[in-house]
């Protein structure tokens, strides 16, 4: 035999046990039964494994003649050769800076996801705090980087009758001169000083379309009422205009409401908006159904959320009515007569008012009933991340009088050297700042208490002529409050609060979420070093500071700071005590942007230098704001009258 098979001969595959002795074969059977290989001698076991495998002992030595399998790229289901997708895309959580997808690389709600957008429809009688709620919602959602705008039916009516509208706050122009470290870095990068360029101001107002009052009024080119309508403006704004039996006025109110809604829908569907808030009474089922029908006729996938504000607390109603008397419809008019007319207006609405309830529930409509501005919340069929977040935010509301103080820490060693980030201790100057801060806050705390007690003693209702200060609904409660001092977990912030920590009358707490923005691989570097060694990164951040994220492990950007401060803002809104926040530049910028309702671009531009202390006092109509600058010579704080937040120097980190 030469080892070759003769033609037609079929070789029988060897049995796995042919080469084993009878003893080894018996052990193999025992191993198979018991599931162990320990019964086999090592050599026999290895021989058996090689016989049973299909893989050659050295697969690399075997040349395969089979062709490689071709790679078939994935085919999109909505491509030209496939049936187009019919069902809407999933609408899940979108957080700018924290989520990213192909259709939304920046984390904002994409234009495609119409179902993730939201129309908020306010419901409630006059003097129930609807405008207060809408302004806070708009401020919070915009701060969270969701494009949000209020569409107030009453403002539209007033604009049509020639009354001015409010302008969105903006930062004051940047200073003419750059900060020395930034100027040095800019010269190093560009070879010359930066130009004194100023950003062009843009308008945040959209003039509403002209009103058609069926020939009874003329509308000029500015969308304002002219002719006889202007002459009867005062009557139109009185209680008679809101009487449900006044059919002519009812038609006008309905037309104004629907045109305002159309403007809102244009903003959401064509203007890049994410949330539109329709601020009006919307007090009847028929009006609300008309709104739903109009929205669904335009875009059936848009989300709709009704928010009804109900007031049962007489103190809250009194405060709201006083606030209305200083509003645009009654400003500079006799308070007693204005109050009488306003009560008649409320009575006119009450005669036809229908609260949210079974009608909306039967149609699976989302709604939130907010009773006494957050004391109690009732909600129905909330869907979507925006609706859920709004409910959580509304639950944090309170109208308690209090002060919110914000400042940066005292000077640190790294501040003195111009370095970014780090965790260096304070300098001697920084410790002096902390001591002066403790003394000044203690003084202002006592001063505030005396002022509040005086206001409560002098309050009257109805208000006297010239008295435009609405009382707090909770003013009769205990005004002696706790005082919280919150710091980050970095040394310079903790050390600034050392004098507060030694006083049992202050409650000091350290928060990691208040830590400074992490500069990643640039931690400990100066501006000049970054500009010299990483010019591309320097330019990239200067061009878009809001969306920029520092490279390296742990690197953050402003959007990440906003996200981690979300719970902090809710906690500030929830507590009824005073609070002092000793933070860092990025943290103070983000918090100030929330309370000051700054625009997206202004968040990163606000100048927050060391040694400046900001005081924010929430009011039923907004906030009262003061700023103080530390004086090294007097070791005290000097108020800066009529202070307007400034833009930081161009190119500042």
């Amino acid at each position: 035999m030469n080892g070759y098979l003769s033609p037609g001969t079929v070789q029988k595959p060897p049995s796995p046990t042919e080469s084993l002795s009878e003893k080894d074969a018996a052990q193999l059977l025992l191993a198979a039964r018991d599931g162990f290989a320990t019964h086999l001698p090592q050599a026999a076991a290895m021989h058996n494994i090689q016989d049973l495998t299909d893989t050659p002992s050295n697969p690399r030595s075997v040349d395969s003649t089979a062709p490689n399998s071709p790679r078939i790229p994935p085919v999109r289901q909505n491509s030209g050769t496939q049936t187009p997708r019919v069902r809407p895309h999933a609408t899940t959580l979108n957080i700018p800076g924290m989520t990213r997808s192909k259709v939304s690389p920046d984390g904002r709600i994409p234009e495609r996801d119409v179902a993730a957008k939201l129309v908020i429809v306010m419901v409630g009688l006059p003097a129930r705090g609807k405008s207060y709620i809408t302004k806070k919602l708009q401020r919070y959602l915009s701060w969270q980087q969701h494009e949000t705008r209020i569409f107030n039916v009453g403002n539209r009516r007033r604009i049509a009758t020639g009354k001015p509208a409010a302008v969105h706050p903006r930062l004051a122009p940047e200073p003419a001169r750059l900060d020395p470290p930034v100027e040095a870095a800019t010269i190093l990068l560009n070879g010359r000083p930066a130009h004194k360029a100023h950003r062009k101001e843009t308008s945040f107002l959209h003039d509403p379309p002209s009103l058609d009052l069926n020939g009874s009024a003329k509308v000029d080119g500015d969308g304002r009422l002219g002719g006889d309508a202007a002459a009867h403006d005062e009557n139109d704004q009185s209680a008679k205009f809101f009487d449900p039996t006044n059919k002519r006025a009812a038609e006008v109110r309905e037309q104004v409401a629907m045109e305002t809604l159309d403007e809102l829908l244009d903003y959401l569907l064509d203007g890049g908006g994410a949330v539109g808030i329709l601020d009006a009474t919307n007090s009847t089922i028929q009006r609300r159904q008309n709104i739903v029908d109009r929205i669904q006729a335009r875009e059936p996938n848009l989300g709709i959320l009704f928010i009804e504000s109900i007031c049962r607390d007489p103190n809250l109603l009194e405060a709201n009515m006083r606030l209305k008397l200083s509003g645009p419809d009654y400003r500079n008019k006799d308070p007693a007569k204005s109050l009488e007319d306003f009560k008649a207006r409320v009575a006119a609405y009450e005669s036809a008012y229908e609260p949210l309830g079974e009608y909306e529930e039967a149609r699976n409509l989302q709604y939130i009933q907010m009773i006494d501005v957050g004391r109690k919340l009732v909600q129905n069929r909330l869907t979507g991340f925006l609706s859920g977040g709004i409910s959580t935010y509304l639950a944090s509301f309170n109208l308690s009088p209090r002060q919110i103080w914000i400042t940066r820490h005292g000077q640190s060693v790294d501040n003195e050297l111009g370095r970014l980030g780090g965790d260096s201790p304070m300098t001697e100057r920084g410790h002096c700042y902390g001591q002066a801060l403790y003394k000044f806050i203690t003084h202002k705390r006592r001063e505030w208490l005396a002022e509040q007690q005086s206001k409560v003693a002098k309050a009257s209702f109805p208000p006297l002529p010239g008295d435009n200060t609405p009382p707090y609904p909770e003013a009769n409660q205990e005004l002696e409050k706790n005082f919280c001092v919150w710091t980050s977990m970095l040394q310079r912030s903790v050390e600034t609060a050392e004098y507060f920590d030694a006083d049992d009358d202050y409650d000091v707490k350290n928060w990691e979420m208040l830590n400074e923005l992490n500069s990643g691989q640039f931690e400990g570097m100066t501006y000049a070093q970054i500009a010299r060694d990483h010019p591309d990164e320097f330019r990239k951040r200067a061009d878009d500071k809001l969306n920029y994220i520092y490279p390296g492990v742990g690197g953050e950007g402003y959007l990440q700071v906003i996200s981690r401060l979300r719970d902090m803002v809710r906690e500030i809104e929830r507590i009824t005590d005073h609070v002092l926040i000793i933070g860092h530049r990025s943290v103070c910028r983000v918090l100030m942007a929330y309370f000051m309702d700054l625009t997206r671009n202004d968040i990163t531009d606000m100048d927050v230098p060391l040694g400046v202390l900001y005081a924010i006092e929430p009011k039923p109509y907004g906030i009262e704001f003061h700023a103080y600058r530390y004086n090294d010579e007097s070791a005290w704080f000097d108020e800066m009258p009529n202070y307007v937040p400034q833009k930081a120097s161009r190119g500042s980190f």
Side-chain angles (χ1 to χ4, degrees):
M1 297 293 291
N2 56 8
Y4 291 93
L5 297 176
S6 60
T9 304
V10 178
Q11 184 179 17
K12 179 182 177 182
S15 169
T17 59
E18 278 183 354
S19 59
L20 298 178
S21 65
E22 184 176 344
K23 180 180 179 181
D24 289 339
Q27 289 181 343
L28 176 62
L29 292 175
L30 288 173
R33 184 193 67 184
D34 298 338
F36 298 96
T38 54
H39 296 280
L40 288 173
Q42 184 175 4
M46 292 299 298
H47 181 79
N48 182 54
I49 291 172
Q50 290 179 358
D51 285 345
L52 292 177
T53 182
D54 292 329
T55 304
S57 58
N58 187 7
R60 293 186 180 181
S61 64
V62 179
D63 294 329
S64 174
T65 59
N68 292 330
S69 299
R71 180 181 179 275
I72 302 176
V75 179
R76 293 185 60 84
Q77 293 302 310
N78 61 347
S79 63
T81 60
Q82 300 290 332
T83 303
R85 177 172 178 158
V86 177
R87 69 181 185 279
H89 291 272
T91 54
T92 54
L93 181 67
N94 286 283
I95 303 178
M98 302 300 290
T99 61
R100 182 175 59 200
S101 65
K102 181 161 53 179
V103 296
S104 177
D106 58 1
R108 294 185 174 88
I109 297 176
E111 290 300 311
R112 184 195 72 181
D113 292 348
V114 176
K117 298 187 177 186
L118 192 62
V119 179
I120 298 177
V121 182
M122 298 303 298
V123 178
L125 293 168
R128 265 57 179 180
K130 295 187 301 299
S131 294
Y132 170 80
I133 294 170
T134 59
K135 289 175 183 177
K136 293 200 67 156
L137 270 179
Q138 185 271 335
R139 177 157 55 94
Y140 176 73
L141 292 171
S142 296
W143 177 74
Q144 287 287 297
Q145 305 306 299
H146 299 300
E147 294 285 357
T148 306
R149 188 174 296 169
I150 299 171
F151 296 82
N152 186 288
V153 176
N155 283 347
R156 186 185 184 87
R157 167 174 52 83
R158 296 181 192 106
I159 291 174
T161 56
K163 297 187 178 181
V167 179
H168 198 288
R170 296 299 303 269
L171 292 180
E174 65 187 76
R177 180 174 174 79
L178 300 177
D179 292 336
V182 180
E183 185 173 23
T186 306
I187 294 174
L188 181 63
L189 178 64
N190 300 323
R192 62 185 185 281
H195 294 293
K196 300 174 184 178
H198 295 283
R199 197 164 45 195
K200 183 179 179 181
E201 298 292 330
T202 56
S203 173
F204 288 84
L205 297 177
H206 292 266
D207 293 332
S210 301
L211 297 178
D212 177 11
L213 302 182
N214 297 327
S216 63
K218 297 179 181 179
V219 183
D220 62 22
D222 294 327
R224 296 176 178 177
L225 293 177
D228 295 338
H232 296 291
D233 173 47
E234 183 172 346
N235 288 334
D236 284 345
Q237 310 311 308
S238 69
K240 295 178 182 179
F241 183 78
F242 302 94
D243 187 342
T245 63
N246 186 338
K247 294 183 179 180
R248 177 75 194 116
E251 292 175 0
V252 172
R253 294 199 310 272
E254 185 71 15
Q255 179 184 337
V256 171
M258 292 300 109
E259 290 184 352
T260 306
L261 177 60
D262 288 340
E263 188 181 358
L264 182 155
L265 295 176
D266 289 341
Y267 168 68
L268 291 184
L269 300 176
D270 304 321
V275 180
I277 306 175
L278 185 65
D279 185 9
T281 56
N282 300 315
S283 55
T284 65
I285 289 176
Q286 185 59 55
R287 162 67 73 81
R288 297 194 290 269
Q289 187 59 56
N290 290 345
I291 290 172
V292 172
D293 292 342
R294 202 174 187 96
I295 293 172
Q296 293 183 342
R298 180 82 177 268
E299 175 49 70
N301 292 320
L302 268 177
I304 304 173
L305 171 64
F306 290 98
I307 299 179
E308 181 179 19
S309 181
I310 300 172
C311 291
R312 297 171 181 166
D313 184 345
N315 291 328
L316 181 57
L317 277 174
E318 176 184 321
N320 287 344
M321 286 187 177
R322 281 183 60 111
L323 183 60
K324 280 290 185 181
L325 299 187
S326 61
D329 286 341
Y330 297 105
R331 187 176 292 125
N332 301 323
K333 296 182 180 180
D334 180 76
K337 292 182 179 179
S338 297
L339 178 61
E340 181 181 351
D341 180 83
F342 182 71
K343 286 184 175 180
R345 181 192 297 191
V346 174
Y349 273 111
E350 285 179 328
S351 65
Y353 185 73
E354 296 170 301
L356 297 174
E358 293 181 358
Y359 184 87
E360 287 75 18
E361 292 170 9
R363 288 154 183 79
N364 292 323
L365 293 172
Q366 299 183 88
Y367 75 72
I368 299 173
Q369 282 183 324
M370 192 175 185
I371 300 168
D372 292 339
V373 194
R375 181 179 61 83
K376 178 181 178 181
L377 256 65
V378 178
Q379 56 191 44
N380 179 70
R381 302 286 291 184
L382 295 190
T383 58
F385 64 93
L386 282 177
S387 297
I390 288 169
S391 176
T392 303
Y393 179 65
L394 293 178
S396 68
F397 278 21
N398 80 83
L399 295 174
S400 179
R402 64 199 188 280
Q403 287 187 313
I404 300 165
W405 297 84
I406 298 175
T407 187
R408 287 178 67 183
H409 53 80
Q411 185 191 58
S412 70
V413 173
D414 281 340
N415 289 142
E416 198 171 31
L417 298 174
R419 293 173 178 167
L420 288 177
D423 191 17
S424 64
M426 287 202 302
T427 62
E428 184 61 31
R429 186 184 179 194
H431 285 285
C432 291
Y433 179 80
Q435 184 178 26
L437 180 65
Y438 164 74
K439 292 180 179 179
F440 182 76
I441 289 292
T442 301
H443 168 75
K444 298 300 287 186
R445 181 182 181 184
R446 295 172 184 150
E447 186 180 87
W448 180 89
L449 178 60
E451 289 177 357
Q452 294 302 310
Q453 291 171 338
S454 176
K455 286 181 180 179
V456 171
K458 295 178 180 178
S460 63
F461 189 75
L464 300 174
D467 180 9
N468 293 322
T469 304
Y472 284 101
E474 301 178 14
N476 295 326
Q477 297 182 5
E478 180 60 47
L479 291 173
E480 183 69 44
K481 295 178 174 293
N482 293 324
F483 204 115
C484 302
V485 179
W486 295 347
T487 78
S488 74
M489 290 192 173
L490 300 176
Q491 284 188 80
R492 54 192 183 275
S493 177
V494 174
E495 290 178 357
T496 305
E498 59 188 348
Y499 290 94
F500 294 99
D501 205 17
D503 188 341
D504 288 339
D505 207 22
Y506 290 93
D507 300 301
V508 179
K509 182 176 289 186
N510 313 129
W511 298 71
E512 187 173 8
M513 64 180 68
L514 287 176
N515 283 1
E516 175 63 297
L517 183 153
N518 191 305
S519 302
Q521 70 183 55
F522 295 156
E523 284 279 309
M525 297 179 66
T526 65
Y527 300 138
Q529 287 175 326
I530 296 172
R532 182 189 65 228
D533 300 339
H534 306 276
D536 291 340
E537 292 293 331
F538 189 89
R539 289 193 184 94
K540 189 187 301 182
R541 188 170 192 273
D543 291 341
D544 187 7
K545 290 172 67 175
L546 181 64
N547 292 289
Y548 178 83
I549 299 176
Y550 278 106
V553 177
E556 291 182 299
Y558 273 91
L559 292 178
Q560 284 70 42
V561 175
I562 291 173
S563 182
R564 63 171 152 98
L565 287 177
R566 184 189 302 112
D567 290 339
M568 170 68 68
V569 163
R570 290 175 180 170
E571 183 67 2
I572 294 172
E573 291 285 4
R574 184 194 66 80
I575 64 174
T576 59
D577 298 320
H578 302 302
V579 61
L580 165 65
I581 297 172
I582 302 174
H584 306 267
R585 177 158 52 187
S586 65
V587 169
C588 291
R589 278 175 170 168
V590 168
L591 291 176
M592 290 290 292
Y594 168 74
F595 288 107
M596 301 296 292
D597 193 19
L598 298 181
T599 66
R600 172 179 298 163
N601 292 330
D602 287 339
I603 291 177
T604 62
D605 287 341
M606 183 178 180
D607 188 27
V608 186
L610 292 174
V612 175
L613 175 64
Y614 305 100
I616 297 168
E617 191 169 343
K619 300 282 187 180
Y621 51 80
I623 64 168
E624 185 176 307
F625 177 75
H626 298 275
Y628 305 86
R629 185 182 297 279
Y630 176 62
N631 188 323
D632 282 299
E633 295 181 0
S634 63
W636 199 245
F637 289 81
D638 301 324
E639 183 168 3
M640 296 182 280
N642 303 316
Y643 176 82
V644 177
Q646 305 287 315
K647 288 184 180 179
S649 301
R650 190 173 298 276
S652 170
F653 271 58

